[in-house]
Amino acid sequence: MSLVLQTNDLTKKYGKQIAVNKVNLNIKKGDIYGLIGKNGAGKTTIMKIACGLIYQEQGDIQLFESSNLEKARKRMGCVIEQPALYPDMTAKQNLIYYDKLLGITDYSNVDEVLGLVGLQNTGKKKTKAFSLGMKQRLSIAISLLGNPDFLILDEPINGLDPSGIKEVRELLLKLNIENEITILISSHILGELAKLATKYGVIHKGVLIDEFQAVELEERCKKCLTIVVNNSEKAAYILKNNINISNFKVFDEGKICIYDCLDIPEQINKELVENGILVSRICLEGNDIEGYFVKLMEGDK
């Protein structure tokens, strides 16, 4: 599958401070790529470099597998920080204004884009009377005017109420699935991001510490019953043959993680002890999604 955005050792400094440190991002066509990190981790800096708003000191960037960034950026749309919306204009008037800035003289795209973001019925309503969710959807509409193949969205659901978050989430899924738009998105609402993203990149103090597919997230957050025993080989035999447990892994230093039968720790402990196994620890472990993301954001892999 072709790559939409690829960076190689991307580095950006502000004075002596390294904001982005040798980052290698790989975003494929069709991805909704969630970029995760604390404030100041480097997320917005990476997005600004990709959009050509700032430039890196070191490293290379390719868009749509091309180094001709000026041409490739014409296939992009972005919402980084809040674009200026003219409060005394309607949604349609705002879009026509931005069409003019882009050099687009045929304004037939305006109604199409308003329909895409669900603002086709706002009529003469001025944007100063819009809800925050409506303003965010109008901002995304502006980024769609050039009919992009790739959207970059920096905190698009920040500050929205649950209804506004749902509206933007459904819009992004629609753009990705129906319009085949690849999306790079950052968000602090980690549980919500998990409903959208197909791939994640985790950045900590300017360093990309992990990249993984969404399908891996469930495995990484899976609950398990952890036991520590004095004889893991014999314990594994008992688990399999006496209790009929097959979904477990044996690790070093007598640690065994059991991924099913989590509701019978007393029976497991009893069976092991009665067969001469010393159990020094037995506990339920695992993360919820937000807890796992928080650990990653703190640099804990």
PDB file of all heavy atoms in Angstrom, residues 39-62:
ATOM      1  N   ASN A  39       1.362  17.800  25.820  1.00  0.00           N
ATOM      2  CA  ASN A  39       1.621  19.144  25.304  1.00  0.00           C
ATOM      3  C   ASN A  39       3.126  19.381  25.250  1.00  0.00           C
ATOM      4  O   ASN A  39       3.840  19.092  26.212  1.00  0.00           O
ATOM      5  CB  ASN A  39       0.975  20.203  26.205  1.00  0.00           C
ATOM      6  CG  ASN A  39      -0.529  20.272  26.029  1.00  0.00           C
ATOM      7  OD1 ASN A  39      -1.057  19.894  24.987  1.00  0.00           O
ATOM      8  ND2 ASN A  39      -1.223  20.752  27.040  1.00  0.00           N
ATOM      9  N   GLY A  40       3.592  19.901  24.120  1.00  0.00           N
ATOM     10  CA  GLY A  40       5.023  20.162  23.977  1.00  0.00           C
ATOM     11  C   GLY A  40       5.830  18.965  23.524  1.00  0.00           C
ATOM     12  O   GLY A  40       7.055  19.052  23.397  1.00  0.00           O
ATOM     13  N   ALA A  41       5.148  17.838  23.245  1.00  0.00           N
ATOM     14  CA  ALA A  41       5.881  16.629  22.834  1.00  0.00           C
ATOM     15  C   ALA A  41       6.419  16.729  21.413  1.00  0.00           C
ATOM     16  O   ALA A  41       7.361  16.027  21.049  1.00  0.00           O
ATOM     17  CB  ALA A  41       4.983  15.401  22.962  1.00  0.00           C
ATOM     18  N   GLY A  42       5.789  17.594  20.584  1.00  0.00           N
ATOM     19  CA  GLY A  42       6.254  17.754  19.203  1.00  0.00           C
ATOM     20  C   GLY A  42       5.201  17.460  18.151  1.00  0.00           C
ATOM     21  O   GLY A  42       5.488  17.516  16.951  1.00  0.00           O
ATOM     22  N   LYS A  43       3.968  17.173  18.572  1.00  0.00           N
ATOM     23  CA  LYS A  43       2.909  16.792  17.619  1.00  0.00           C
ATOM     24  C   LYS A  43       2.622  17.905  16.608  1.00  0.00           C
ATOM     25  O   LYS A  43       2.645  17.677  15.394  1.00  0.00           O
ATOM     26  CB  LYS A  43       1.616  16.439  18.364  1.00  0.00           C
ATOM     27  CG  LYS A  43       1.741  15.367  19.420  1.00  0.00           C
ATOM     28  CD  LYS A  43       0.399  14.979  20.013  1.00  0.00           C
ATOM     29  CE  LYS A  43      -0.335  16.132  20.673  1.00  0.00           C
ATOM     30  NZ  LYS A  43       0.386  16.703  21.838  1.00  0.00           N
ATOM     31  N   THR A  44       2.336  19.098  17.125  1.00  0.00           N
ATOM     32  CA  THR A  44       1.976  20.211  16.234  1.00  0.00           C
ATOM     33  C   THR A  44       3.149  20.603  15.353  1.00  0.00           C
ATOM     34  O   THR A  44       2.968  20.970  14.181  1.00  0.00           O
ATOM     35  CB  THR A  44       1.498  21.420  17.066  1.00  0.00           C
ATOM     36  OG1 THR A  44       0.371  21.025  17.859  1.00  0.00           O
ATOM     37  CG2 THR A  44       1.084  22.572  16.168  1.00  0.00           C
ATOM     38  N   THR A  45       4.364  20.501  15.877  1.00  0.00           N
ATOM     39  CA  THR A  45       5.559  20.823  15.080  1.00  0.00           C
ATOM     40  C   THR A  45       5.658  19.900  13.877  1.00  0.00           C
ATOM     41  O   THR A  45       5.917  20.354  12.746  1.00  0.00           O
ATOM     42  CB  THR A  45       6.827  20.705  15.945  1.00  0.00           C
ATOM     43  OG1 THR A  45       6.731  21.626  17.035  1.00  0.00           O
ATOM     44  CG2 THR A  45       8.075  21.016  15.133  1.00  0.00           C
ATOM     45  N   ILE A  46       5.431  18.604  14.074  1.00  0.00           N
ATOM     46  CA  ILE A  46       5.467  17.643  12.962  1.00  0.00           C
ATOM     47  C   ILE A  46       4.408  18.000  11.926  1.00  0.00           C
ATOM     48  O   ILE A  46       4.666  17.991  10.716  1.00  0.00           O
ATOM     49  CB  ILE A  46       5.249  16.207  13.489  1.00  0.00           C
ATOM     50  CG1 ILE A  46       6.471  15.748  14.298  1.00  0.00           C
ATOM     51  CG2 ILE A  46       4.999  15.233  12.336  1.00  0.00           C
ATOM     52  CD1 ILE A  46       6.264  14.447  15.048  1.00  0.00           C
ATOM     53  N   MET A  47       3.224  18.329  12.394  1.00  0.00           N
ATOM     54  CA  MET A  47       2.137  18.671  11.478  1.00  0.00           C
ATOM     55  C   MET A  47       2.444  19.937  10.683  1.00  0.00           C
ATOM     56  O   MET A  47       2.173  20.014   9.474  1.00  0.00           O
ATOM     57  CB  MET A  47       0.837  18.848  12.269  1.00  0.00           C
ATOM     58  CG  MET A  47       0.294  17.545  12.837  1.00  0.00           C
ATOM     59  SD  MET A  47      -1.211  17.811  13.809  1.00  0.00           S
ATOM     60  CE  MET A  47      -1.903  16.156  13.815  1.00  0.00           C
ATOM     61  N   LYS A  48       3.021  20.934  11.349  1.00  0.00           N
ATOM     62  CA  LYS A  48       3.368  22.179  10.661  1.00  0.00           C
ATOM     63  C   LYS A  48       4.450  21.948   9.610  1.00  0.00           C
ATOM     64  O   LYS A  48       4.416  22.555   8.528  1.00  0.00           O
ATOM     65  CB  LYS A  48       3.826  23.222  11.677  1.00  0.00           C
ATOM     66  CG  LYS A  48       2.686  23.837  12.491  1.00  0.00           C
ATOM     67  CD  LYS A  48       3.198  24.902  13.450  1.00  0.00           C
ATOM     68  CE  LYS A  48       2.058  25.609  14.160  1.00  0.00           C
ATOM     69  NZ  LYS A  48       2.539  26.648  15.107  1.00  0.00           N
ATOM     70  N   ILE A  49       5.400  21.087   9.907  1.00  0.00           N
ATOM     71  CA  ILE A  49       6.437  20.769   8.918  1.00  0.00           C
ATOM     72  C   ILE A  49       5.804  20.085   7.708  1.00  0.00           C
ATOM     73  O   ILE A  49       6.110  20.413   6.556  1.00  0.00           O
ATOM     74  CB  ILE A  49       7.537  19.872   9.539  1.00  0.00           C
ATOM     75  CG1 ILE A  49       8.325  20.646  10.606  1.00  0.00           C
ATOM     76  CG2 ILE A  49       8.480  19.356   8.455  1.00  0.00           C
ATOM     77  CD1 ILE A  49       9.286  19.782  11.406  1.00  0.00           C
ATOM     78  N   ALA A  50       4.909  19.130   7.964  1.00  0.00           N
ATOM     79  CA  ALA A  50       4.255  18.416   6.863  1.00  0.00           C
ATOM     80  C   ALA A  50       3.473  19.374   5.973  1.00  0.00           C
ATOM     81  O   ALA A  50       3.429  19.205   4.748  1.00  0.00           O
ATOM     82  CB  ALA A  50       3.336  17.332   7.419  1.00  0.00           C
ATOM     83  N   CYS A  51       2.861  20.401   6.585  1.00  0.00           N
ATOM     84  CA  CYS A  51       2.064  21.365   5.825  1.00  0.00           C
ATOM     85  C   CYS A  51       2.896  22.471   5.189  1.00  0.00           C
ATOM     86  O   CYS A  51       2.367  23.270   4.414  1.00  0.00           O
ATOM     87  CB  CYS A  51       1.017  21.998   6.744  1.00  0.00           C
ATOM     88  SG  CYS A  51      -0.224  20.849   7.324  1.00  0.00           S
ATOM     89  N   GLY A  52       4.173  22.555   5.531  1.00  0.00           N
ATOM     90  CA  GLY A  52       5.038  23.599   4.981  1.00  0.00           C
ATOM     91  C   GLY A  52       4.934  24.926   5.706  1.00  0.00           C
ATOM     92  O   GLY A  52       5.386  25.953   5.201  1.00  0.00           O
ATOM     93  N   LEU A  53       4.381  24.908   6.926  1.00  0.00           N
ATOM     94  CA  LEU A  53       4.269  26.149   7.702  1.00  0.00           C
ATOM     95  C   LEU A  53       5.588  26.507   8.383  1.00  0.00           C
ATOM     96  O   LEU A  53       5.854  27.676   8.652  1.00  0.00           O
ATOM     97  CB  LEU A  53       3.151  26.020   8.744  1.00  0.00           C
ATOM     98  CG  LEU A  53       1.748  25.771   8.171  1.00  0.00           C
ATOM     99  CD1 LEU A  53       0.756  25.534   9.291  1.00  0.00           C
ATOM    100  CD2 LEU A  53       1.307  26.959   7.320  1.00  0.00           C
ATOM    101  N   ILE A  54       6.379  25.491   8.712  1.00  0.00           N
ATOM    102  CA  ILE A  54       7.736  25.679   9.239  1.00  0.00           C
ATOM    103  C   ILE A  54       8.631  24.642   8.566  1.00  0.00           C
ATOM    104  O   ILE A  54       8.136  23.717   7.909  1.00  0.00           O
ATOM    105  CB  ILE A  54       7.803  25.533  10.790  1.00  0.00           C
ATOM    106  CG1 ILE A  54       7.294  24.159  11.220  1.00  0.00           C
ATOM    107  CG2 ILE A  54       7.035  26.639  11.481  1.00  0.00           C
ATOM    108  CD1 ILE A  54       7.433  23.890  12.711  1.00  0.00           C
ATOM    109  N   TYR A  55       9.927  24.775   8.753  1.00  0.00           N
ATOM    110  CA  TYR A  55      10.858  23.876   8.070  1.00  0.00           C
ATOM    111  C   TYR A  55      11.800  23.225   9.068  1.00  0.00           C
ATOM    112  O   TYR A  55      12.162  23.812  10.087  1.00  0.00           O
ATOM    113  CB  TYR A  55      11.638  24.641   6.997  1.00  0.00           C
ATOM    114  CG  TYR A  55      10.734  25.142   5.907  1.00  0.00           C
ATOM    115  CD1 TYR A  55      10.202  26.436   5.959  1.00  0.00           C
ATOM    116  CD2 TYR A  55      10.361  24.314   4.859  1.00  0.00           C
ATOM    117  CE1 TYR A  55       9.332  26.884   4.974  1.00  0.00           C
ATOM    118  CE2 TYR A  55       9.493  24.762   3.868  1.00  0.00           C
ATOM    119  CZ  TYR A  55       8.991  26.038   3.927  1.00  0.00           C
ATOM    120  OH  TYR A  55       8.121  26.476   2.968  1.00  0.00           O
ATOM    121  N   GLN A  56      12.173  22.010   8.749  1.00  0.00           N
ATOM    122  CA  GLN A  56      13.048  21.231   9.620  1.00  0.00           C
ATOM    123  C   GLN A  56      14.508  21.628   9.441  1.00  0.00           C
ATOM    124  O   GLN A  56      14.901  22.158   8.403  1.00  0.00           O
ATOM    125  CB  GLN A  56      12.887  19.729   9.320  1.00  0.00           C
ATOM    126  CG  GLN A  56      13.431  19.278   7.957  1.00  0.00           C
ATOM    127  CD  GLN A  56      12.394  19.344   6.865  1.00  0.00           C
ATOM    128  OE1 GLN A  56      11.479  20.154   6.907  1.00  0.00           O
ATOM    129  NE2 GLN A  56      12.560  18.491   5.861  1.00  0.00           N
ATOM    130  N   GLU A  57      15.313  21.376  10.474  1.00  0.00           N
ATOM    131  CA  GLU A  57      16.763  21.568  10.378  1.00  0.00           C
ATOM    132  C   GLU A  57      17.446  20.375   9.733  1.00  0.00           C
ATOM    133  O   GLU A  57      18.521  20.484   9.144  1.00  0.00           O
ATOM    134  CB  GLU A  57      17.376  21.794  11.772  1.00  0.00           C
ATOM    135  CG  GLU A  57      17.409  23.251  12.233  1.00  0.00           C
ATOM    136  CD  GLU A  57      16.041  23.715  12.714  1.00  0.00           C
ATOM    137  OE1 GLU A  57      15.258  22.888  13.205  1.00  0.00           O
ATOM    138  OE2 GLU A  57      15.762  24.916  12.588  1.00  0.00           O
ATOM    139  N   GLN A  58      16.821  19.215   9.900  1.00  0.00           N
ATOM    140  CA  GLN A  58      17.475  17.976   9.474  1.00  0.00           C
ATOM    141  C   GLN A  58      16.396  16.972   9.078  1.00  0.00           C
ATOM    142  O   GLN A  58      15.272  17.012   9.565  1.00  0.00           O
ATOM    143  CB  GLN A  58      18.304  17.421  10.639  1.00  0.00           C
ATOM    144  CG  GLN A  58      19.060  16.129  10.356  1.00  0.00           C
ATOM    145  CD  GLN A  58      19.774  15.622  11.598  1.00  0.00           C
ATOM    146  OE1 GLN A  58      20.241  16.403  12.423  1.00  0.00           O
ATOM    147  NE2 GLN A  58      19.855  14.315  11.744  1.00  0.00           N
ATOM    148  N   GLY A  59      16.749  16.057   8.187  1.00  0.00           N
ATOM    149  CA  GLY A  59      15.830  14.991   7.803  1.00  0.00           C
ATOM    150  C   GLY A  59      15.049  15.314   6.542  1.00  0.00           C
ATOM    151  O   GLY A  59      15.047  16.442   6.047  1.00  0.00           O
ATOM    152  N   ASP A  60      14.378  14.284   6.042  1.00  0.00           N
ATOM    153  CA  ASP A  60      13.634  14.391   4.789  1.00  0.00           C
ATOM    154  C   ASP A  60      12.163  14.088   5.023  1.00  0.00           C
ATOM    155  O   ASP A  60      11.790  13.381   5.962  1.00  0.00           O
ATOM    156  CB  ASP A  60      14.174  13.393   3.749  1.00  0.00           C
ATOM    157  CG  ASP A  60      15.656  13.618   3.458  1.00  0.00           C
ATOM    158  OD1 ASP A  60      16.031  14.788   3.261  1.00  0.00           O
ATOM    159  OD2 ASP A  60      16.417  12.637   3.448  1.00  0.00           O
ATOM    160  N   ILE A  61      11.346  14.599   4.130  1.00  0.00           N
ATOM    161  CA  ILE A  61       9.912  14.339   4.170  1.00  0.00           C
ATOM    162  C   ILE A  61       9.439  14.049   2.757  1.00  0.00           C
ATOM    163  O   ILE A  61       9.874  14.693   1.797  1.00  0.00           O
ATOM    164  CB  ILE A  61       9.145  15.531   4.781  1.00  0.00           C
ATOM    165  CG1 ILE A  61       7.632  15.264   4.794  1.00  0.00           C
ATOM    166  CG2 ILE A  61       9.430  16.821   4.069  1.00  0.00           C
ATOM    167  CD1 ILE A  61       6.842  16.299   5.566  1.00  0.00           C
ATOM    168  N   GLN A  62       8.576  13.053   2.628  1.00  0.00           N
ATOM    169  CA  GLN A  62       7.954  12.738   1.346  1.00  0.00           C
ATOM    170  C   GLN A  62       6.444  12.718   1.520  1.00  0.00           C
ATOM    171  O   GLN A  62       5.926  12.230   2.528  1.00  0.00           O
ATOM    172  CB  GLN A  62       8.420  11.369   0.823  1.00  0.00           C
ATOM    173  CG  GLN A  62       9.824  11.376   0.242  1.00  0.00           C
ATOM    174  CD  GLN A  62      10.083  10.148  -0.625  1.00  0.00           C
ATOM    175  OE1 GLN A  62       9.512   9.082  -0.405  1.00  0.00           O
ATOM    176  NE2 GLN A  62      10.922  10.300  -1.622  1.00  0.00           N
TER     177      GLN A  62
END
